Amino acid sequence: MKRRYRLRRHGEFQAVIAGKRVHSGRALVAFAVPNSSEQNRVGVTVSRMVKSSVDRNRARRRLRELARAVLLGPDSPLTSLGIRYDVVLIARPAALEVSFADLREEAAQAALRLSKLN
């Protein structure tokens, strides 16, 4: 993911997590807050509940790829309203167990739900 599409600072992550838009699923938790930039930005984090560093890195790579494909794509529900969002995705341990297609479907559902919240 290019640098302009990423959340990088701790304060940016905390501002998004403190927002009111949240989606909790089996494999991931998604937070969103509207931003004033010209594109959506995504931050990915994995909790220490995913035990080994190898598994955490694998979960991080999976979430980054689906963020690129689902949340930052031109057909994303987040861009359909004309409002740009900062999104934080937090992987749960189940993110390694489910297939990538199921993970992608859950991310699409999270994006749709986050874009429709008031």
Side-chain angles (χ1 to χ4, degrees):
M1 237 181 344
K2 293 188 178 184
R3 182 170 257 192
R4 66 177 177 255
Y5 299 126
R6 289 185 285 175
L7 296 175
R8 294 179 304 223
R9 294 189 172 87
H10 180 71
E12 294 172 340
F13 277 84
Q14 294 294 31
V16 174
I17 291 172
K20 297 186 187 243
R21 294 174 186 259
V22 68
H23 170 78
S24 180
R26 179 173 176 252
L28 61 91
V29 179
F31 297 92
V33 65
N35 70 20
S36 60
S37 67
E38 64 247 9
Q39 67 267 350
N40 293 324
R41 297 185 312 165
V42 177
V44 174
T45 185
V46 181
S47 74
R48 284 242 159 131
M49 289 173 53
V50 180
K51 292 296 181 189
S52 73
S53 62
V54 173
D55 291 338
R56 283 194 298 273
N57 288 329
R58 183 170 173 245
R60 193 175 295 118
R61 284 192 307 269
R62 292 183 88 189
L63 286 186
R64 240 188 257 133
E65 174 59 27
L66 70 91
R68 186 190 63 77
V70 175
L71 300 177
L72 297 175
D75 57 343
S76 169
L78 293 176
T79 58
S80 64
L81 298 176
I83 302 170
R84 302 297 182 225
Y85 291 94
D86 287 343
V87 179
V88 171
L89 299 176
I90 301 175
R92 289 186 167 171
L96 296 170
E97 299 167 2
V98 299
S99 68
F100 191 74
D102 292 340
L103 194 59
R104 185 180 177 111
E105 181 61 36
E106 188 170 338
Q109 181 182 5
L112 183 65
R113 187 155 179 235
L114 290 172
S115 68
K116 301 294 183 198
L117 290 175
N118 289 329

